[in-house]
Amino acid sequence: MVSILVVYGSREGQTAKISERIVEVFDGRGHDATAVAVEDITPETSGETFDAILVGSSIHLGKHAKDIYEFVRENRDVLEARPNGFFQVSLSSANPNEEVQAEAAAYIDEFVEGTEWHPDRIAKFGGALRYSEYGFLTRFMMKRIAKDATGDTDTSRDYEYTDWDEVESFAADFAALVETGDVSAGGESEETQA
Ligand SMILES: Cc1cc2nc3c(=O)[nH]c(=O)nc-3n(C[C@H](O)[C@H](O)[C@H](O)COP(=O)(O)O)c2cc1C
């Protein structure tokens, strides 16, 4: 059994939901996993006491949250001293169009460049559109963004694009990496999901 920390930055809750599903996969394999919102990190959950760490972050207006950047910059040595991985949650990952996928990949490139952290594993997941939870201005803006991104502009309902099989297989792959301790298996910084 190993201990695994999942630190996430989530504004509307989808990255939190994905983190909880990943924890369920780890727990199901007999590990001791914990998901913590980056704003709730304490010295006890800063990462040093865990055998492996995953960081999850959602995209808003083309950017990862500032506190996720800060967490990674401040804890890069801790991350790199144990098996580590990163997953990104965005609307663009929900669209198979090549140009839109390139946009999602560019968010990751920018994050890696900005933090100088090269995760052992990287994944991109589709997020959600929660019109029912947005204020008036955000709903208006998201309707316009969604028109190009997914075409889902019916603001009377919510949309979830996360492929849960992809999430579970990423979690299983990461768990296997931690169990074998062989971070080089499958490539140094391999992107396991499209
Ligand atoms: C105000 C706002 C701006 C967003 N900007 C982008 C964006 O630039 N690119 C993108 O792919 N997704 C964008 N999204 C979609 C989010 O990444 C998606 O809703 C995701 O599920 C949010 O994750 P969270 O619930 O964990 O915060 C945006 C969403 C909101 C509400």
Side-chain angles (χ1 to χ4, degrees):
M1 182 190 83
V2 295
S3 59
I4 307 173
L5 174 66
V6 183
V7 182
Y8 62 84
S10 182
R11 214 190 283 179
E12 286 95 32
Q14 193 65 14
T15 310
K17 195 170 164 186
I18 291 170
S19 301
E20 292 299 343
R21 180 67 65 91
I22 290 173
V23 162
E24 277 172 28
V25 172
F26 292 156
D27 286 348
R29 292 171 75 107
H31 301 306
D32 180 15
T34 315
V36 183
V38 67
E39 62 272 21
D40 295 333
I41 286 287
T42 61
E44 291 73 40
T45 52
S46 70
E48 281 177 66
T49 56
F50 291 84
D51 298 315
I53 309 178
L54 273 183
V55 177
S57 175
S58 58
I59 290 288
H60 290 88
L61 302 178
K63 300 260 177 258
H64 289 280
K66 231 174 154 188
D67 44 9
I68 282 286
Y69 260 100
E70 277 167 19
F71 174 83
V72 169
R73 283 205 193 106
E74 283 167 16
N75 292 279
R76 214 177 63 224
D77 292 350
V78 176
L79 286 164
E80 288 175 351
R82 47 197 39 80
N84 63 80
F86 177 67
F87 62 93
Q88 170 178 285
V89 179
S90 70
L91 211 52
S92 26
S93 281
N95 187 330
N97 174 284
E98 255 180 51
E99 252 175 59
V100 185
Q101 283 298 315
E103 212 174 279
Y107 300 148
I108 298 222
D109 290 346
E110 195 244 357
F111 186 73
V112 166
E113 208 172 298
T115 57
E116 296 180 23
W117 172 40
H118 296 272
D120 296 323
R121 291 292 183 274
I122 297 178
K124 303 194 244 48
F125 301 127
L129 265 179
R130 303 222 181 275
Y131 287 119
S132 65
E133 291 169 25
Y134 301 149
F136 174 78
L137 278 179
T138 303
R139 193 178 311 126
F140 180 74
M141 180 175 67
M142 289 314 292
K143 190 176 171 181
R144 296 186 66 157
I145 290 177
K147 195 171 172 207
D148 292 331
T150 61
D152 293 327
T153 56
D154 177 0
T155 57
S156 69
R157 52 158 291 191
D158 293 342
Y159 298 87
E160 185 176 84
Y161 306 103
T162 308
D163 181 332
W164 295 104
D165 289 341
E166 272 189 10
V167 171
E168 287 176 5
S169 90
F170 171 71
D173 173 74
F174 188 74
L177 169 109
V178 178
E179 287 154 12
T180 59
D182 186 5
V183 293
S184 65
E188 198 180 304
S189 182
E190 192 197 25
E191 191 170 306
T192 56
Q193 306 293 330

